[in-house]
Each structure stands twice: as structure tokens, then as C-alpha cells.
């Protein structure tokens, strides 16, 4: 029987669908939302390169999104993307990767790319766990959670990655959840359009390897929790820190203009080229 | 109702057709849970892959807000305006 | 592949000129003559001068030079840059080379042309930062995990540092693989005259491009054609085991076997096209003793061989220019009539063991570590000891 086709499939390597994500996984929603953002922007995927690392969320663009894709080593997608972007500033370079990838093993690349303010869009899918490897503690796992490598409960506080990236110098930073699909599409459009380093932390669900450890067995239960815990950043700013315990601060954390790395690099390079040109014209 | 949704009370009525791609759906039930009009129900039969798929119970209540279409992790829901 | 106007204009000011410079600097200029479009690196002794010189000069030729946050990122960035079609490189020394192993493996698996310069210093670990060594010979061969092959060249003068950059980039593009210039700190920091070539003599190898829709990671040829980002081919590049079309398949045994064997064989089967050695055979052809050396050590070695010949001894000499793939046929042929081969190296005997595998005669390692290169006398003494 012929099946209905969502037109977002135009942006997907359709021949390999359905994807491999577990039922109710947030990665699928991020893929869905991402294709909608690209569609709204009327971006030609030929003018895009999607870069990812290792982990479930790395699979969102690689292989599912139909553009040039670079599926790299664990934690390094932003560093690989830097090489692509400086050489081809005309291409939109998007990194989609997980919290373990980008804020754990690849944390150094993340903060330095934000500091340089290179024109990359980094969408970090934060499921608060190492899902693909079987539910080990991540730098984003809340304190007190039992994971397969913190059987006596996690004693570490989690990273607030969006705040970290904002402090490091990114032009655009936002945080949304996989429940806030309309806002997330809008944020992705803004991030991709923004000149400079743009970062969206997407709080997402892993019903299998995280959910079963915290008593949330389905995507539905996670989304209900996100809906309940989300607090807009404007409201959050008015509350004392202790009232924000267990809340997910959502919204736009930063949107500012700063010199962008790729254009600055090409500017200084062109200056040197022009200098040689002028010198040679003087001689001849 | 979600902020950012295009759904408004005064939107002129049009008919929306909701279809579900049975090859893609993995029965996560997100659409069933989050539809503001509770349009979806759960099928009582397993599909080929062993998932209980959602079924559209009351299509004429849909106002095309697209929440189900966008939340769907499988990109399996197709909404068309007639 | 020709140079653009910016590069031609810059190189026109240098061609046919002779300058006095460091091996590291010669390597940087050699890279610009070789058409390097992109450099990413991280400071490290004794390789920093490569980055410093490129930071100064590469932009003048229209190339981009950036410093990354570490060597992991440097290696990653040059792989990313290579997929846009640019010639890209990095330079480092042992500690950084260790960090790069991860993405060297990625470059091998994804068949990404790129060039790495390793100016070797004393290890393990931080070791003697400012002292030369040849301790990374085996790391260059086997540093990254899994079965693979690699191309590595070893220069023994500043001029060769310059010249070999062209060779490295050409090999990288021809075989779609990372290529390592295995310098040692002695050659990196030697100051010698270097003559720049005429622009007309530069012939950069062109990458073989895949036809639209053609597989980029397999097919009939050992080296498949490549495609670049932005060409509308939706190329999928992954370090995981993949099919000829680039799609991941990490479970089918024959997919992995076919991929890894082809990547291995594309270098193995072309070894005779890649390998270069230099021989200095005793004139009467009566030698029973030979010396094999490479890099900085080849210089005192040849000095000692000549001194021994002046004393009436027949000694043959061979210098390995290509380290990997190993010149096993050339070494076996060199050893055919010899009783003994001496192998002076600035390590505890890495290449001497490799030589042992392919010869029937005795192999004597002449190791030296501690950061001071062999002297002619030391090697001469080693020769006279076995020759008497």
C-alpha cells in the first residue's frame, strides 16, 4: 500500500528511512524540526555541509540529512567544521552533535570556536546521558542520578552548556527542548542566519538509556516533564537561584554582533595579498 | 497550546487531512498525547513491525496547528489542507 | 591544477632565488610552492618555525593559516579543509603527533589527502623538547589503531625539506591518503642554503575527480575519484566502515574487509612508484659491510663511510628517503652480497628491526639517544669495530 509522504523527506536520504532511533527518541524530532527550519529558510542543501561526531545525535545529519556530510571522530566535529568553513565561507556549515560529544570530549573545541566566533551553527542535542554506549554518566547528567557508571549516584554537578558558550563569546545562544518545536524551528532559523558562532542547546529525551534510570519510560513522559520544567529566561531572571532548581531555562540567552572569525581571517589574508600586489606594481 | 504555534481560535475553518505513514511510525504515542484536540487514538491492532499505531478518531476537529507533525520523531505524519 | 594569480605573483618574487634558512622554514616555503592552501597547527618545539613562517608568508600567497586550540583540532581542521578541495597541512612534534593519531586514522579511513610534518624530538612524553631524535619512526607507521598503510618521507637537508613538500602533496593527492614528512629536530633546525625552483618547473599532481553520481569510496580502481563539498553530490564522509557510496555499514564482514584491504593495498601495490632510496656503492663492488641510514643520521653516516673508504675499507651506503612503505625490495637487494649492515639511528633501533625482516645478513643497530646526533667518529668507530 502506498504511504503518505511528508514533504520534509525532500531533505532526507529517504532510501534509508525509517531511521534507527528508538521509538520516542528526541533525535527524530530534531531531524524533523531541522528540515522544517531549512525549508522555511529556503536554503539549498547543496550550499550546506553538515558535520557531526559520534553518538546517537550525530546520526541526525549523518546519514539522514541529504547534504554534504562529514561524520567525524568523537568530540571533534567543530574542529573539522572549522576547516570546512574557513575554506568555503559561502557554505552554511551546521554541526549537530550530542552533549557528550560537544561538551564532554569536545568541550575544548566548543569554547574556542565560540571565542573565535566562527560562523558555524552548532545544535547540541542534550539528552543528559551517553545513550549510544549504554547509559553512562555525561557532563550534563543531573547530580544524584543513577547511571551505569554512577551506580552509587552521580556526585558531579552538570554543565550549563548554553551559559558556558554564551560566556565564551558566541554571537547567538538559545536553549529549547524537543517539546518546544515551534520555538526551536524559529531559533534554528535565527542561528543559521546569524553571522558568527550560534549555539542551540536542545534538551532532548532518551527514553531508553536515560529514561529507564529516572523512571520515565517513554518520549511522552519526557515531553510532559520538559513542558512542566521549562521556564522562560525572562521569568527565570526574576527568580532566586534556589527557585530554579530542577527547571529548564528556555529562550534566547544571547543575540549580539561581534566580529566573525572567517571574514576576519579572509580580511587579513586579502590585506597581505594586496600588499604584495602593490609592491609588485611599484617595481614594474 | 504552545507559544509560537500558528493555531488561533479565529482561523477560518478548513478541512485538514491527517495521514500517518505506517512504514515510518514506531508507535511512540507523542501525537496522541499532545494533540490539543485529542484527535488521535491508539489502534488496538499491532502493525507489521509490532507497534500500535495512532489512528485519527475525529479529523474534523483538526485546525492544522501542525504540532503533531513537528513533534513526530519519525516524520511520519502528513497534514494536508483540503 | 594551476596556481591562481595571487600565488603566482607571490612566488614570482621567490623563484630561482637562494636563501639561507632553517629546515623548518624551508618546509614552509616548500609548502607554498607546493600549492598549500590551508595550514592549521599548534605551537611545539622544534616544529613551531614551520607554523610561524607559514603564518607570515602563506597569506601573501592567498592561503589561510590558523592556529587551533590543540593538535587534535589542527588535524581535524586540515581534513575538513581537504574536502573543500584545498591542499592542507599541519606541522608538529612527538607530543602533538601523538594527539594527531586519532584523526590521522580518520584521514586514512576517509581517504583524505593531507600532509603532516613531524619534526621529531626526544621522547617518550615531553622528553627533551629542544633535542632532536628519530623516535617516531614506528609511531608514524603504526600510531593510529587498526590495519592501515601510510606514506612517510625523511629529508636530510633544508633543501630536501623544501623539495619534499611538493612530493608529499603530490603523493597525498595521487593516493588519497595522509602523507607524513618525518623530519628530525636536527634537520628542522639546521640552517642551510635553499634554492627555490622556477615556477614553470612546478607540476602539482591533480586529484582524480569522481564523475557526478560515481562512488567516492570504492569501485574498480584502488584509488577512487574524489568529490568536494559544495559540488551538489551529497557526499557522505565517515570514519566508520562504509560502502563504496559512503554509507555506513558497520556489520557486514565483507564490506569492512573490502574497504580496509583496498585502502591498505592502494599504497602496498604502488610501493615501487612511491619508494625512493639513494645508494653510494663502493667502487670495486667488493663490500661485505653496508650502512643504512636516513634523515639527519645519514649525514655523519655517509661521512664515516667515506672516511672508512679512505682507509681502504669497502663499505656500501644506502639512504632511505621513503621510510613508509618500507623499501624492502631495495634493502634486500642492497644486502644481497653483504655480511653485515650497520644502522645508525637516533633511537634504540626502530628501522634496524624493520631491515632485519628483509635481509639474510647480520644487522647491527648503532643507536644513539639523549639529544646529540651521531658524530662521524662514532659511526666510523662502529664500522671499524665490525670490519676488523
Amino acid at each position: 500500500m502506498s504511504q503518505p509522504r511528508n514533504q520534509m523527506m525532500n531533505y532526507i536520504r529517504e532510501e534509508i528511512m525509517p531511521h534507527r532511533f528508538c521509538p520516542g527518541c528526541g533525535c527524530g524530532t530534531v531531524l524533523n524540526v531541522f528540515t522544517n527550519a531549512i525549508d522555511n529558510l529556503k536554503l539549498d542543501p547543496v550550499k550546506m555541509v553538515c558535520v557531526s561526531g559520534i553518538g546517537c545525535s550525530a546520526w541526525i545529519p549523518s546519514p539522514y540529512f541529504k547534504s554534504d556530510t562529514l561524520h567525524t571522530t568523537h568530540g571533534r566535529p567543530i574542529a573539522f567544521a572549522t576547516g570546512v568553513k574557513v575554506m568555503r565561507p559561502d557554505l552554511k556549515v551546521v554541526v549537530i552533535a550530542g552533549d557528550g560529544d560537544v561538551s564532554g570530549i569536545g568541550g575544548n573545541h566548543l569554547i574556542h570556536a565560540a571565542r573565535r566566533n566562527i560562523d558555524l551553527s552548532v545544535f547540541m542535542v542534550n539528552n543528559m546521558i551517553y545513550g549510544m554506549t549504554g547509559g553512562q554518566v555525561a557532563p550534563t547528567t543531573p547530580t544524584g542520578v543513577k547511571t551505569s557508571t554512577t551506580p552509587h549516584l552521580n556526585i558531579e554537578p552538570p554543565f550549563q552548556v548554553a551559559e558556558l558558550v554564551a560566556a565564551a563569546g558566541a554571537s547567538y545562544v538559545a536553549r529549547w527542548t524537543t517539546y518546544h518545536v515551534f520555538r526551536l524551528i524559529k531559533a534554528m532559523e535565527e542561528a543559521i542566519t546569524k553571522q558568527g558562532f550560534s549555539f542551540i542547546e536542545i534538551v532532548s529525551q532518551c527514553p531508553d538509556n536515560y529514561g529507564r534510570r529516572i523512571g520515565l519510560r517513554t518520549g511522552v513522559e519526557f515531553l510532559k516533564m520538559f513542558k512542566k520544567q521549562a521556564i522562560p529566561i525572562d521569568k527565570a531572571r526574576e527568580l532566586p537561584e534556589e527557585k530554579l532548581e530542577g527547571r529548564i531555562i528556555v529562550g534566547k540567552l544571547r543575540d549580539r554582533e561581534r566580529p566573525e572569525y572567517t571574514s576576519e581571517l579572509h580580511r587579513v589574508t586579502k590585506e597581505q595579498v594586496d600588499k604584495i600586489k602593490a609592491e609588485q606594481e611599484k617595481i614594474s | 497550546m504552545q507559544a509560537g504555534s500558528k493555531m488561533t481560535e479565529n482561523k477560518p475553518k478548513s478541512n485538514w487531512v491527517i495521514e500517518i505513514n505506517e512504514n515510518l511510525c514506531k508507535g511512540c504515542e507523542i501525537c496522541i498525547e499532545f494533540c490539543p484536540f485529542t484527535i488521535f487514538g491508539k489502534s488496538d491492532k499491532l502493525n507489521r513491525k509490532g507497534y500500535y499505531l495512532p489512528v485519527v478518531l475525529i479529523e474534523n476537529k483538526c485546525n492544522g496547528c501542525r504540532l503533531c507533525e513537528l513533534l513526530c520523531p519519525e516524520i511520519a505524519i502528513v497534514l494536508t489542507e483540503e | 591544477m594551476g596556481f591562481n594569480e595571487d600565488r603566482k605573483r607571490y612566488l614570482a618574487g621567490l623563484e630561482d632565488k637562494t636563501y639561507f634558512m632553517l629546515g623548518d622554514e624551508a618546509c614552509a616555503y616548500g609548502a607554498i610552492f607546493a600549492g598549500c592552501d590551508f595550514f592549521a597547527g599548534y605551537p611545539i618545539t622544534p616544529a613551531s618555525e614551520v607554523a610561524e613562517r607559514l603564518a607570515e608568508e602563506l597569506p601573501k600567497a592567498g592561503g589561510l593559516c590558523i592556529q587551533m586550540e590543540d593538535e587534535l583540532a589542527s588535524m581535524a581542521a586540515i581534513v575538513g579543509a581537504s574536502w573543500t578541495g584545498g591542499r592542507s597541512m599541519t606541522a608538529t612534534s612527538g607530543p602533538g603527533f601523538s594527539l594527531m593519531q586519532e584523526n590521522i586514522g580518520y584521514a586514512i579511513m576517509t581517504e583524505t589527502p593531507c600532509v603532516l610534518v613531524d619534526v621529531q624530538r626526544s621522547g617518550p612524553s615531553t622528553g627533551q623538547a629542544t633535542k632532536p631524535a628519530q623516535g617516531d619512526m614506528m609511531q608514524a607507521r603504526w600510531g593510529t589503531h587498526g590495519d592501515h598503510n601510510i606514506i612517510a618521507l625523511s629529508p636530510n637537508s633544508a633543501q630536501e625539506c623544501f623539495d619534499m613538500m611538493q612530493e608529499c602533496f603530490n603523493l597525498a593527492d595521487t593516493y588519497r591518503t595522509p602523507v607524513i614528512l618525518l623530519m628530525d629536530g636536527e634537520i628542522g633546525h639546521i640552517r642551510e642554503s635553499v634554492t627555490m625552483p622556477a615556477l614553470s618547473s612546478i607540476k602539482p599532481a591533480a586529484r582524480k575527480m569522481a564523475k557526478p553520481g560515481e562512488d567516492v569510496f570504492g569501485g574498480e580502481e584502488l584509488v577512487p575519484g574524489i568529490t568536494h563539498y559544495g559540488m551538489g553530490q551529497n557526499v557522505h564522509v565517515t570514519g566508520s566502515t562504509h560502502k563504496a557510496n559512503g554509507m555506513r555499514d558497520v556489520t557486514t564482514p565483507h564490506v569492512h574487509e573490502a574497504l580496509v584491504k583496498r585502502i591498505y593495498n592502494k599504497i602496498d601495490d604502488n610501493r615501487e612508484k612511491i619508494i625512493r632510496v639513494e645508494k653510494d656503492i663502493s667502487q670495486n663492488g667488493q663490500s661485505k659491510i653496508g650502512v643504512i641510514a636516513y634523515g639527519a643520521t645519514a649525514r655523519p653516516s655517509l661521512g664515516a663511510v667515506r672516511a672508512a673508504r679512505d682507509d681502504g675499507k669497502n663499505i656500501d651506503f644506502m639512504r632511505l628517503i621513503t621510510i613508509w612503505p618500507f623499501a624492502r625490495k631495495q634493502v634486500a637487494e642492497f644486502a644481497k652480497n653483504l655480511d653485515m649492515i650497520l644502522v645508525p639511528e637516533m633511537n634504540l633501533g626502530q628501522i634496524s628491526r624493520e631491515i632485519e625482516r628483509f635481509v639474510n645478513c647480520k644487522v647491527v643497530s648503532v643507536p644513539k639517544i639523549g639529544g646529540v646526533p651521531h658524530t662521524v667518529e662514532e659511526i666510523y668507530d662502529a664500522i671499524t669495530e665490525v670490519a676488523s
Side-chain angles (χ1 to χ4, degrees):
Chain A
M1 198 181 89
S2 101
Q3 291 291 327
R5 180 178 182 273
N6 188 310
Q7 60 165 348
M8 291 308 132
M9 286 297 164
N10 294 340
Y11 299 97
I12 287 171
R13 291 189 172 106
E14 201 174 355
E15 66 280 8
I16 48 173
M17 292 293 273
H19 55 58
R20 298 262 197 103
F21 302 124
C22 306
C25 171
C27 290
T29 304
V30 175
L31 176 65
N32 189 344
V33 163
F34 180 56
T35 53
N36 274 277
I38 299 304
D39 191 59
N40 290 350
L41 290 171
K42 297 189 167 49
L43 259 183
D44 182 356
V46 167
K47 293 280 165 209
M48 293 175 67
V49 179
C50 287
V51 188
S52 69
I54 298 296
C56 294
S57 29
W59 286 34
I60 295 168
S62 160
Y64 300 115
F65 191 74
K66 194 163 72 184
S67 71
D68 286 332
T69 34
L70 187 60
H71 177 238
T72 75
T73 44
H74 194 21
R76 320 286 169 228
I78 293 172
F80 280 88
T82 299
V84 176
K85 184 64 191 182
V86 297
M87 290 292 284
R88 287 294 301 268
D90 58 315
L91 301 179
K92 289 281 181 196
V93 182
V94 179
V95 174
I96 304 181
D99 48 315
D101 203 66
V102 159
S103 78
I105 185 169
N108 201 28
H109 311 305
L110 174 67
I111 55 173
H112 285 283
R115 175 181 62 81
R116 287 184 193 110
N117 201 34
I118 182 167
D119 188 22
L120 302 174
S121 307
V122 177
F123 303 148
M124 185 191 83
V125 182
N126 179 5
N127 61 8
M128 297 163 275
I129 199 83
Y130 283 92
M132 189 174 261
T133 45
Q136 295 83 10
V137 69
T140 43
T141 308
T143 315
V145 170
K146 185 174 182 167
T147 73
S148 60
T149 48
T150 54
H152 315 300
L153 309 186
N154 180 26
I155 55 171
E156 300 179 21
F159 246 148
Q160 299 295 322
V161 186
E163 284 79 359
L164 172 77
V165 174
S171 270
Y172 181 96
V173 181
R175 183 191 286 112
W176 294 102
T177 80
T178 43
Y179 171 71
H180 301 90
V181 280
F182 297 105
R183 294 306 186 93
L184 187 51
I185 291 174
K186 185 86 192 337
M188 282 186 175
E189 290 171 29
E190 288 176 353
I192 292 167
T193 314
K194 187 82 190 176
Q195 281 289 303
F197 192 79
S198 44
F199 180 84
I200 305 174
E201 176 179 344
I202 306 163
V203 178
S204 179
Q205 70 272 26
C206 173
D208 193 49
N209 270 327
Y210 185 55
R212 73 172 129 127
R213 293 172 213 295
I214 59 165
L216 301 174
R217 298 305 303 255
T218 64
V220 168
E221 287 174 69
F222 266 99
L223 294 192
K224 280 182 177 168
M225 180 182 81
F226 293 161
K227 188 177 169 184
K228 210 173 111 199
Q229 289 185 339
I231 175 166
I233 183 149
D234 295 339
K235 269 194 192 153
R237 283 193 180 123
E238 290 164 10
L239 294 176
E241 208 173 317
E242 63 271 17
K243 291 254 166 130
L244 294 170
E245 190 87 2
R247 305 298 298 268
I248 303 167
I249 300 170
V250 295
K252 208 191 292 184
L253 280 77
R254 275 290 191 290
D255 193 350
R256 60 183 164 189
E257 305 304 321
R258 278 187 65 214
E260 191 276 321
Y261 179 74
T262 307
S263 48
E264 287 296 291
L265 179 67
H266 282 268
R267 180 182 60 75
V268 295
T269 303
K270 192 174 177 299
E271 274 172 16
Q272 293 303 310
V273 168
D274 290 345
K275 228 158 108 185
I276 296 283
K277 214 173 180 174
E279 276 170 23
Q280 293 226 341
E281 275 162 10
K282 219 158 90 187
I283 296 165
S284 58
Chain B
M1 197 190 307
Q2 249 203 60
S5 145
K6 286 182 204 138
M7 169 178 155
T8 59
E9 296 295 328
N10 307 324
K11 202 178 169 198
K13 276 269 179 219
S14 55
N15 286 325
W16 291 89
V17 180
I18 306 165
E19 294 170 287
I20 292 158
N21 186 318
E22 291 179 17
N23 294 341
L24 297 179
C25 179
K26 292 178 189 156
C28 74
E29 301 178 19
I30 287 175
C31 53
I32 301 175
E33 177 66 34
F34 290 95
C35 171
F37 299 104
T38 335
I39 281 168
F40 299 94
K42 190 169 154 182
S43 166
D44 50 10
K45 281 188 298 240
L46 287 168
N47 79 344
R48 258 184 321 124
K49 291 179 181 169
Y51 296 122
Y52 291 103
L53 300 191
V55 286
V56 179
L57 299 177
I58 27 174
E59 200 163 72
N60 62 6
K61 275 180 79 181
C62 174
N63 79 341
C65 79
R66 295 189 68 213
L67 183 59
C68 60
E69 198 184 18
L70 295 172
L71 280 174
C72 175
E74 307 300 330
I75 320 181
I77 301 178
V78 183
L79 226 63
T80 21
E81 193 172 12
E82 277 199 332
Chain C
M1 191 176 113
F3 292 146
N4 66 23
E5 291 310 310
D6 294 342
R7 188 163 303 243
K8 279 187 200 157
R9 195 181 307 116
Y10 169 78
L11 293 179
L14 292 173
E15 65 175 340
D16 289 327
K17 292 200 172 69
T18 300
Y19 295 95
F20 196 55
M21 62 173 76
L22 288 179
D24 277 355
E25 292 170 333
C27 170
Y29 284 106
I32 305 175
F33 269 87
C36 173
D37 298 297
F38 178 72
F39 175 90
Y42 185 84
I44 188 165
T45 304
S48 295
E49 290 87 348
V50 181
E52 287 168 0
R53 188 52 52 171
L54 280 168
E56 180 74 37
E57 299 297 317
L58 187 54
K60 295 177 185 170
L64 302 172
C65 185
I66 66 176
Q67 183 170 314
M68 293 299 284
E69 54 273 15
D70 55 32
E71 287 89 346
L72 299 161
S74 305
M75 188 62 212
I78 71 165
V79 170
S82 184
W83 279 96
T84 68
R87 282 193 151 181
S88 60
M89 68 172 282
T90 186
T92 189
S93 185
F97 194 47
S98 291
L99 290 183
M100 286 180 184
Q101 296 304 325
E102 176 190 55
N103 289 330
I104 292 172
Y106 184 85
I108 291 168
M109 193 62 156
T110 54
E111 303 180 72
T112 307
C114 55
V115 174
L116 294 89
V117 178
D118 175 20
V119 190
Q120 298 170 83
R121 71 189 219 188
S122 276
S125 191
T126 319
Q128 295 169 290
T130 60
K131 301 294 179 192
Q134 296 174 325
D136 307 350
M137 309 309 289
M138 282 296 163
Q139 188 188 19
R141 177 66 189 85
W142 294 112
T144 197
H145 58 279
D147 289 303
H148 62 276
N149 237 322
I150 196 81
I151 299 176
L153 311 180
S154 166
N156 82 334
S157 65
Q159 183 69 51
E160 275 197 352
C161 292
F162 181 96
D163 296 338
M164 279 187 188
M165 286 312 292
Q166 288 178 54
E167 192 176 351
C168 286
F169 275 111
N170 287 344
L171 287 168
D173 281 342
T174 304
Y175 297 106
R176 264 186 74 180
T177 185
V179 173
I180 301 166
L181 186 68
L182 258 181
M183 283 161 69
D184 46 63
E186 193 63 17
I187 293 303
H189 279 178
I190 206 165
R191 206 176 276 276
E192 292 181 321
S193 55
V194 173
T195 302
M196 317 259 160
L199 252 179
S200 57
S201 72
I202 310 271
K203 300 268 182 294
R207 289 183 189 175
K208 185 173 77 184
M209 300 304 294
K211 293 184 193 81
E214 199 175 43
D215 285 343
V216 177
F217 300 96
E220 297 297 304
E221 306 284 323
L222 276 174
V223 186
I226 197 168
T227 191
H228 295 146
Y229 285 160
M231 292 175 79
Q233 293 301 304
N234 297 328
V235 60
H236 183 251
V237 183
T238 176
S240 299
T241 295
H242 45 273
K243 294 182 280 202
N245 65 3
M247 287 297 126
R248 254 194 315 271
D249 179 347
V250 297
T251 50
T252 314
H254 72 81
V255 170
H256 183 79
E257 191 181 343
L259 173 69
V260 174
K261 276 191 173 167
R262 181 179 58 71
I263 292 175
Y264 192 93
N265 288 340
K266 73 180 177 185
I267 293 172
D268 230 44
D269 291 4
N270 286 302
R271 52 170 53 245
E272 295 314 317
K273 286 188 203 152
I274 298 167
I275 290 168
R276 287 205 296 132
V277 297
E278 203 175 68
K279 282 190 277 193
D280 190 324
I281 304 297
S282 185
Q283 282 192 346
N284 60 13
Q286 303 288 307
S287 299
K288 289 291 160 204
I289 295 172
V291 174
I292 299 181
Y294 53 88
T297 316
R299 296 168 70 139
S301 296
L302 185 57
V305 166
R306 286 183 179 154
R309 283 181 194 159
D310 288 346
D311 293 347
K313 295 186 181 74
N314 292 323
I315 315 282
D316 288 352
F317 176 75
M318 180 157 92
R319 176 164 78 99
L320 303 174
I321 297 171
T322 312
I323 303 296
W324 308 114
F326 190 69
R328 54 190 184 208
K329 198 180 98 187
Q330 292 77 359
V331 165
E333 208 176 276
F334 176 76
K336 215 160 52 188
N337 298 317
L338 300 176
D339 293 337
M340 188 181 290
I341 295 174
L342 285 90
V343 188
E345 306 177 77
M346 284 152 72
N347 56 48
L348 293 180
Q350 297 191 12
I351 293 297
S352 72
R353 260 179 248 173
E354 193 67 13
I355 293 169
E356 259 174 15
R357 299 172 58 212
F358 301 107
V359 300
N360 294 319
C361 67
K362 196 177 171 198
V363 176
V364 178
S365 173
V366 186
K368 187 170 182 189
I369 59 169
V372 183
H374 294 78
T375 59
V376 171
E377 290 72 28
E378 283 165 350
I379 299 169
Y380 176 85
D381 289 348
I383 294 170
T384 38
E385 195 180 317
V386 296
S388 55

